[in-house]
Amino acid sequence: MNNRKLSLAAKIVIALVAGVMFGIIANLFFSTGINEGISKWILSPLGDMFLRAIKMLVVPLVLCSLICGVASIGDIKKLGRVGVKTIIYYVFTTALAISLAMAVANVIKPGIGTNLSIQTAEKVETATPPFIMDMFVNMIPTNPIEAMVKGDMLQIIVFAILFGMCITLIGKKGETLLDMISQINEVLLKMITVIMLTAPVGVFALISKVIMFQGIGALLPLLKYFMTVILSLILQALIVYGTALKVLGGLNPIKFFKKFWPVMLVAFSTSSSNATIPVSLETCEEKLGASRSVASFTIPLGATINMDGTAIMQGVATIFISQLVGVNLTIHEMLMVVLTATLASIGTAGVPGAGIVMLSMVLQQVGLPVEGIALILSVDRLLDMLRTAVNVTGDAVCTTVIARQEGE
Ligand code: ASP
């Protein structure tokens, strides 16, 4: 079993490397017409099929596994404790991530010495901060089916928790139903294993399509910005997650990453925390030893509100743009960035490209030109892949920490 899994993981890596290489070759040597043809007839359909297949499981899996998870906790106090700890942990690590990113950016100074200029004429998509109370109100679905159809994760989570709690409250009468839901859950987990067999093909298609059109030439003028984000992401993964795993989770970080990296690859190639929920859930439960009651809560919630990688990009981008326009942010303004970027990353949906739109909120908050986003947009596709891998790792680290603290 282990061997087969290992070889699948190895196949995914090979597919990733091959995809990058093919993308570079196509970008350099093939005409745009040929590349568009390859993308339209081969890469897009294959990549989309893989993406759709894993997304297909997100809603039913979150629903079933959270209902089973909550029902198996049984004790409302534990549920509240896990909930509060998870939310505090998520907010704290996100704030830490932005602070770290801004510190790194202030040392490297990616925006100094580049001859890039911000074109104020360029139009970019912007986001306005939601009214905080609306966020709480909207967590309660008026129609659970609609929430599932829309894939509104927070609403689904609220419904599933309440449903799971009430199954326990009706006692014996609910046993058959609970059995049924947990059997459906088993089937869904099996479906992930089956779908993941096609991951090498999907990963190859997704990555080669990005590189084919993006090329690596776009990176050059923004190389310093790009590298600063990557360095901060690596520091977050190694230092913050490494320490959390060791100190709070009692787990050897190397062991953790050995088991978790295939999930990071899926996050990397799909650029979507939401799409990665099923694989991440499976890995946390089956390989990292977290119980369903913890993982089924922390993973979907994390995919929705915990985006450390996104926060890092927002922190570096803010410093980068401020340096480009020659503005020195005061300590007070930097604290504002930490606060808004924490909120912005909570509000970022776990889908490709969402983080860059939310960046506008942070920039507006400290009076920096939103047009700066247009400048970094060209490298954001690649950074999105990397930060999504960190986003989902943050969720899994939290899961391990909470599971450990709950004695698992
Ligand atoms: N793609 C990221 C995610 O799904 C969100 C972002 O754009 O930063 O986690």
Side-chain angles (χ1 to χ4, degrees):
M1 182 73 177
N2 217 6
N3 267 342
R4 194 179 61 82
K5 284 251 163 88
L6 248 187
S7 75
L8 174 64
K11 279 187 208 155
I12 298 179
V13 177
I14 295 170
L16 187 78
V17 176
V20 171
M21 274 162 34
F22 179 75
I24 294 178
I25 293 171
N27 180 268
L28 292 178
F29 302 111
F30 300 170
S31 69
T32 316
I34 293 186
N35 283 344
E36 271 166 7
I38 298 178
S39 164
K40 182 173 165 198
W41 288 94
I42 305 171
L43 300 180
S44 292
L46 286 177
D48 288 348
M49 269 159 43
F50 172 64
L51 254 181
R52 293 174 72 107
I54 48 177
K55 279 191 188 163
M56 163 171 84
L57 299 176
V58 174
V59 171
L61 190 66
V62 169
L63 190 69
C64 294
S65 91
L66 195 50
I67 292 176
C68 297
V70 170
S72 69
I73 290 188
D75 149 23
I76 309 268
K77 262 201 212 133
K78 175 173 175 189
L79 191 68
R81 193 174 60 229
V82 168
V84 170
K85 270 197 218 162
T86 306
I87 291 173
I88 293 178
Y89 177 96
Y90 280 157
V91 173
F92 181 73
T93 46
T94 305
L96 205 62
I98 310 161
S99 313
L100 177 104
M102 291 208 298
V104 174
N106 272 315
V107 172
I108 299 188
K109 300 194 183 356
I112 307 276
T114 30
N115 52 0
L116 292 163
S117 68
I118 292 175
Q119 266 118 48
T120 37
E122 202 119 16
K123 264 264 149 287
V124 286
E125 219 181 313
T126 55
T128 34
F131 177 47
I132 186 106
M133 293 324 275
D134 282 348
M135 268 170 59
F136 292 113
V137 173
N138 289 336
M139 275 167 62
I140 309 211
T142 50
N143 178 347
I145 307 289
E146 192 194 0
M148 289 173 221
V149 172
K150 285 194 309 198
D152 188 320
M153 227 30 90
L154 288 178
Q155 293 191 350
I156 298 173
I157 290 175
V158 169
F159 179 76
I161 291 180
L162 205 57
F163 197 94
M165 271 165 36
C166 293
I167 285 196
T168 343
L169 290 180
I170 61 171
K172 269 226 157 321
K173 276 186 279 177
E175 271 173 11
T176 326
L177 178 61
L178 188 58
D179 269 352
M180 217 170 83
I181 299 178
S182 79
Q183 280 159 19
I184 296 179
N185 200 47
E186 291 305 320
V187 176
L188 291 168
L189 285 173
K190 191 77 205 163
M191 285 172 78
I192 300 169
T193 317
V194 173
I195 290 170
M196 280 305 284
L197 295 176
T198 67
V201 179
V203 166
F204 175 88
L206 290 169
I207 183 81
S208 55
K209 191 179 141 193
V210 173
I211 307 276
M212 170 188 262
F213 290 114
Q214 183 101 66
I216 31 178
L219 286 186
L220 288 179
L222 289 159
L223 201 60
K224 235 172 145 186
Y225 163 73
F226 192 78
M227 297 314 285
T228 312
V229 177
I230 294 183
L231 178 67
S232 312
L233 291 174
I234 294 175
L235 290 178
Q236 173 81 7
L238 295 185
I239 300 178
V240 179
Y241 297 160
T243 315
L245 283 168
K246 191 129 194 96
V247 178
L248 301 173
L251 193 75
N252 180 347
I254 299 175
K255 268 196 188 146
F256 170 88
F257 282 108
K258 258 190 181 161
K259 295 191 172 161
F260 195 70
W261 65 266
V263 181
M264 294 171 79
L265 283 184
V266 173
F268 177 80
S269 44
T270 59
S271 290
S272 168
S273 304
N274 275 3
T276 316
I277 293 175
V279 211
S280 185
L281 254 181
E282 190 213 36
T283 305
C284 287
E285 284 177 19
E286 319 245 307
K287 293 193 197 151
L288 293 171
S291 72
R292 178 156 304 159
S293 58
V294 170
S296 66
F297 174 71
T298 51
I299 294 292
L301 185 70
T304 317
I305 68 164
N306 183 45
M307 310 260 172
D308 298 345
T310 302
I312 284 175
M313 175 279 288
Q314 292 175 342
V316 176
T318 309
I319 300 288
F320 175 67
I321 292 171
S322 77
Q323 288 168 348
L324 280 186
V325 294
V327 170
N328 263 332
L329 294 181
T330 60
I331 292 287
H332 173 253
E333 282 169 327
M334 288 202 208
L335 286 176
M336 274 323 274
V337 173
V338 174
L339 192 69
T340 356
T342 306
L343 292 177
S345 69
I346 290 175
T348 303
V351 296
I356 196 87
V357 178
M358 298 305 276
L359 172 62
S360 61
M361 227 172 87
V362 185
L363 295 176
Q364 276 165 349
Q365 188 65 41
V366 284
L368 288 169
V370 186
E371 289 74 12
I373 294 179
L375 203 64
I376 50 178
L377 216 50
S378 58
V379 290
D380 197 64
R381 188 66 192 84
L382 288 172
L383 286 179
D384 194 3
M385 305 174 96
L386 292 161
R387 68 174 177 259
T388 308
V390 171
N391 287 346
V392 304
T393 310
D395 306 339
V397 172
C398 170
T399 307
T400 323
V401 168
I402 305 277
R404 167 73 179 206
Q405 302 214 329
E406 290 300 314
E408 287 163 17

PDB file of all heavy atoms in Angstrom, residues 271-274 307 310 313 348-356 384 387-388 391, ligand 1:
ATOM      1  N   SER A 271      -3.996  25.542  -7.633  1.00  0.00           N
ATOM      2  CA  SER A 271      -4.095  26.914  -7.092  1.00  0.00           C
ATOM      3  C   SER A 271      -5.393  27.127  -6.344  1.00  0.00           C
ATOM      4  O   SER A 271      -5.933  28.226  -6.342  1.00  0.00           O
ATOM      5  CB  SER A 271      -4.046  27.973  -8.185  1.00  0.00           C
ATOM      6  OG  SER A 271      -2.805  28.041  -8.746  1.00  0.00           O
ATOM      7  N   SER A 272      -5.907  26.099  -5.730  1.00  0.00           N
ATOM      8  CA  SER A 272      -7.178  26.276  -5.036  1.00  0.00           C
ATOM      9  C   SER A 272      -7.223  25.477  -3.736  1.00  0.00           C
ATOM     10  O   SER A 272      -7.161  24.252  -3.747  1.00  0.00           O
ATOM     11  CB  SER A 272      -8.325  25.853  -5.959  1.00  0.00           C
ATOM     12  OG  SER A 272      -9.513  25.754  -5.231  1.00  0.00           O
ATOM     13  N   SER A 273      -7.333  26.202  -2.625  1.00  0.00           N
ATOM     14  CA  SER A 273      -7.459  25.526  -1.331  1.00  0.00           C
ATOM     15  C   SER A 273      -8.741  24.705  -1.292  1.00  0.00           C
ATOM     16  O   SER A 273      -8.763  23.602  -0.747  1.00  0.00           O
ATOM     17  CB  SER A 273      -7.532  26.532  -0.185  1.00  0.00           C
ATOM     18  OG  SER A 273      -6.454  27.382  -0.174  1.00  0.00           O
ATOM     19  N   ASN A 274      -9.798  25.262  -1.876  1.00  0.00           N
ATOM     20  CA  ASN A 274     -11.078  24.545  -1.855  1.00  0.00           C
ATOM     21  C   ASN A 274     -10.970  23.201  -2.556  1.00  0.00           C
ATOM     22  O   ASN A 274     -11.430  22.188  -2.047  1.00  0.00           O
ATOM     23  CB  ASN A 274     -12.152  25.359  -2.580  1.00  0.00           C
ATOM     24  CG  ASN A 274     -12.789  26.367  -1.668  1.00  0.00           C
ATOM     25  OD1 ASN A 274     -12.375  26.492  -0.513  1.00  0.00           O
ATOM     26  ND2 ASN A 274     -13.761  27.106  -2.159  1.00  0.00           N
ATOM     27  N   MET A 307      -5.389  31.683   5.301  1.00  0.00           N
ATOM     28  CA  MET A 307      -4.574  31.795   4.083  1.00  0.00           C
ATOM     29  C   MET A 307      -3.260  32.476   4.428  1.00  0.00           C
ATOM     30  O   MET A 307      -3.077  33.667   4.159  1.00  0.00           O
ATOM     31  CB  MET A 307      -5.305  32.656   3.055  1.00  0.00           C
ATOM     32  CG  MET A 307      -6.725  32.274   2.803  1.00  0.00           C
ATOM     33  SD  MET A 307      -6.829  31.314   1.311  1.00  0.00           S
ATOM     34  CE  MET A 307      -8.511  30.796   1.375  1.00  0.00           C
ATOM     35  N   THR A 310      -1.337  33.555   1.201  1.00  0.00           N
ATOM     36  CA  THR A 310      -1.952  34.732   0.588  1.00  0.00           C
ATOM     37  C   THR A 310      -1.576  35.987   1.381  1.00  0.00           C
ATOM     38  O   THR A 310      -1.226  37.025   0.816  1.00  0.00           O
ATOM     39  CB  THR A 310      -3.487  34.564   0.569  1.00  0.00           C
ATOM     40  OG1 THR A 310      -3.780  33.373  -0.159  1.00  0.00           O
ATOM     41  CG2 THR A 310      -4.181  35.738  -0.064  1.00  0.00           C
ATOM     42  N   MET A 313       1.924  37.056   0.505  1.00  0.00           N
ATOM     43  CA  MET A 313       1.985  37.792  -0.769  1.00  0.00           C
ATOM     44  C   MET A 313       1.486  39.226  -0.558  1.00  0.00           C
ATOM     45  O   MET A 313       2.084  40.189  -1.046  1.00  0.00           O
ATOM     46  CB  MET A 313       1.131  37.054  -1.808  1.00  0.00           C
ATOM     47  CG  MET A 313       0.985  37.728  -3.148  1.00  0.00           C
ATOM     48  SD  MET A 313      -0.258  39.040  -3.212  1.00  0.00           S
ATOM     49  CE  MET A 313      -1.794  38.139  -3.136  1.00  0.00           C
ATOM     50  N   THR A 348     -10.625  35.961   1.740  1.00  0.00           N
ATOM     51  CA  THR A 348     -10.250  35.456   0.415  1.00  0.00           C
ATOM     52  C   THR A 348     -10.832  34.069   0.192  1.00  0.00           C
ATOM     53  O   THR A 348     -10.674  33.192   1.036  1.00  0.00           O
ATOM     54  CB  THR A 348      -8.709  35.367   0.293  1.00  0.00           C
ATOM     55  OG1 THR A 348      -8.151  36.648   0.554  1.00  0.00           O
ATOM     56  CG2 THR A 348      -8.274  34.913  -1.084  1.00  0.00           C
ATOM     57  N   ALA A 349     -11.488  33.888  -0.953  1.00  0.00           N
ATOM     58  CA  ALA A 349     -12.037  32.571  -1.257  1.00  0.00           C
ATOM     59  C   ALA A 349     -10.888  31.659  -1.669  1.00  0.00           C
ATOM     60  O   ALA A 349      -9.888  32.133  -2.207  1.00  0.00           O
ATOM     61  CB  ALA A 349     -13.040  32.693  -2.387  1.00  0.00           C
ATOM     62  N   GLY A 350     -11.029  30.368  -1.413  1.00  0.00           N
ATOM     63  CA  GLY A 350      -9.958  29.429  -1.756  1.00  0.00           C
ATOM     64  C   GLY A 350      -9.973  29.022  -3.211  1.00  0.00           C
ATOM     65  O   GLY A 350     -10.002  27.838  -3.534  1.00  0.00           O
ATOM     66  N   VAL A 351      -9.979  30.013  -4.084  1.00  0.00           N
ATOM     67  CA  VAL A 351      -9.993  29.728  -5.525  1.00  0.00           C
ATOM     68  C   VAL A 351      -8.853  30.500  -6.194  1.00  0.00           C
ATOM     69  O   VAL A 351      -8.355  31.463  -5.617  1.00  0.00           O
ATOM     70  CB  VAL A 351     -11.344  30.127  -6.166  1.00  0.00           C
ATOM     71  CG1 VAL A 351     -12.476  29.298  -5.624  1.00  0.00           C
ATOM     72  CG2 VAL A 351     -11.644  31.607  -5.956  1.00  0.00           C
ATOM     73  N   PRO A 352      -8.452  30.082  -7.405  1.00  0.00           N
ATOM     74  CA  PRO A 352      -7.316  30.764  -8.033  1.00  0.00           C
ATOM     75  C   PRO A 352      -7.527  32.263  -8.197  1.00  0.00           C
ATOM     76  O   PRO A 352      -8.614  32.718  -8.561  1.00  0.00           O
ATOM     77  CB  PRO A 352      -7.216  30.090  -9.408  1.00  0.00           C
ATOM     78  CG  PRO A 352      -7.889  28.784  -9.241  1.00  0.00           C
ATOM     79  CD  PRO A 352      -8.937  28.964  -8.204  1.00  0.00           C
ATOM     80  N   GLY A 353      -6.500  33.021  -7.879  1.00  0.00           N
ATOM     81  CA  GLY A 353      -6.522  34.460  -8.147  1.00  0.00           C
ATOM     82  C   GLY A 353      -7.319  35.314  -7.180  1.00  0.00           C
ATOM     83  O   GLY A 353      -7.418  36.523  -7.363  1.00  0.00           O
ATOM     84  N   ALA A 354      -7.896  34.711  -6.144  1.00  0.00           N
ATOM     85  CA  ALA A 354      -8.735  35.509  -5.241  1.00  0.00           C
ATOM     86  C   ALA A 354      -7.899  36.472  -4.401  1.00  0.00           C
ATOM     87  O   ALA A 354      -8.306  37.604  -4.136  1.00  0.00           O
ATOM     88  CB  ALA A 354      -9.541  34.589  -4.337  1.00  0.00           C
ATOM     89  N   GLY A 355      -6.711  36.037  -4.010  1.00  0.00           N
ATOM     90  CA  GLY A 355      -5.876  36.826  -3.107  1.00  0.00           C
ATOM     91  C   GLY A 355      -5.455  38.163  -3.685  1.00  0.00           C
ATOM     92  O   GLY A 355      -5.401  39.173  -2.980  1.00  0.00           O
ATOM     93  N   ILE A 356      -5.191  38.190  -4.964  1.00  0.00           N
ATOM     94  CA  ILE A 356      -4.699  39.419  -5.582  1.00  0.00           C
ATOM     95  C   ILE A 356      -5.808  40.480  -5.632  1.00  0.00           C
ATOM     96  O   ILE A 356      -5.543  41.674  -5.531  1.00  0.00           O
ATOM     97  CB  ILE A 356      -4.108  39.124  -6.987  1.00  0.00           C
ATOM     98  CG1 ILE A 356      -3.257  40.278  -7.489  1.00  0.00           C
ATOM     99  CG2 ILE A 356      -5.154  38.776  -8.002  1.00  0.00           C
ATOM    100  CD1 ILE A 356      -1.841  40.223  -7.050  1.00  0.00           C
ATOM    101  N   ASP A 384       0.558  32.352  -7.091  1.00  0.00           N
ATOM    102  CA  ASP A 384      -0.700  31.806  -6.584  1.00  0.00           C
ATOM    103  C   ASP A 384      -0.532  30.310  -6.289  1.00  0.00           C
ATOM    104  O   ASP A 384      -0.987  29.792  -5.260  1.00  0.00           O
ATOM    105  CB  ASP A 384      -1.797  32.037  -7.636  1.00  0.00           C
ATOM    106  CG  ASP A 384      -3.186  31.810  -7.072  1.00  0.00           C
ATOM    107  OD1 ASP A 384      -3.302  31.541  -5.870  1.00  0.00           O
ATOM    108  OD2 ASP A 384      -4.166  31.913  -7.849  1.00  0.00           O
ATOM    109  N   ARG A 387       1.681  30.003  -3.118  1.00  0.00           N
ATOM    110  CA  ARG A 387       1.060  30.399  -1.844  1.00  0.00           C
ATOM    111  C   ARG A 387      -0.091  29.474  -1.473  1.00  0.00           C
ATOM    112  O   ARG A 387      -0.358  29.258  -0.288  1.00  0.00           O
ATOM    113  CB  ARG A 387       0.619  31.862  -1.885  1.00  0.00           C
ATOM    114  CG  ARG A 387      -0.522  32.205  -2.812  1.00  0.00           C
ATOM    115  CD  ARG A 387      -0.956  33.652  -2.641  1.00  0.00           C
ATOM    116  NE  ARG A 387      -2.001  34.027  -3.571  1.00  0.00           N
ATOM    117  CZ  ARG A 387      -1.815  34.719  -4.682  1.00  0.00           C
ATOM    118  NH1 ARG A 387      -0.608  35.128  -5.004  1.00  0.00           N
ATOM    119  NH2 ARG A 387      -2.826  35.017  -5.465  1.00  0.00           N
ATOM    120  N   THR A 388      -0.759  28.903  -2.487  1.00  0.00           N
ATOM    121  CA  THR A 388      -1.843  27.968  -2.159  1.00  0.00           C
ATOM    122  C   THR A 388      -1.274  26.736  -1.449  1.00  0.00           C
ATOM    123  O   THR A 388      -1.880  26.219  -0.509  1.00  0.00           O
ATOM    124  CB  THR A 388      -2.613  27.563  -3.433  1.00  0.00           C
ATOM    125  OG1 THR A 388      -3.013  28.746  -4.116  1.00  0.00           O
ATOM    126  CG2 THR A 388      -3.839  26.742  -3.101  1.00  0.00           C
ATOM    127  N   ASN A 391      -0.887  27.826   1.972  1.00  0.00           N
ATOM    128  CA  ASN A 391      -2.214  27.946   2.600  1.00  0.00           C
ATOM    129  C   ASN A 391      -2.702  26.609   3.144  1.00  0.00           C
ATOM    130  O   ASN A 391      -3.125  26.509   4.297  1.00  0.00           O
ATOM    131  CB  ASN A 391      -3.242  28.459   1.583  1.00  0.00           C
ATOM    132  CG  ASN A 391      -3.061  29.939   1.267  1.00  0.00           C
ATOM    133  OD1 ASN A 391      -2.347  30.646   1.978  1.00  0.00           O
ATOM    134  ND2 ASN A 391      -3.696  30.415   0.213  1.00  0.00           N
TER     135      ASN A 391
HETATM  136  N1  ASP B   1      -5.491  30.562  -4.625  1.00  0.00           N
HETATM  137  C1  ASP B   1      -5.466  30.761  -3.216  1.00  0.00           C
HETATM  138  C2  ASP B   1      -6.120  29.601  -2.509  1.00  0.00           C
HETATM  139  O1  ASP B   1      -7.002  28.976  -3.022  1.00  0.00           O
HETATM  140  C3  ASP B   1      -6.123  32.054  -2.822  1.00  0.00           C
HETATM  141  C4  ASP B   1      -5.328  33.201  -3.358  1.00  0.00           C
HETATM  142  O2  ASP B   1      -5.559  33.624  -4.495  1.00  0.00           O
HETATM  143  O3  ASP B   1      -4.428  33.655  -2.668  1.00  0.00           O
HETATM  144  O4  ASP B   1      -5.746  29.266  -1.411  1.00  0.00           O
END
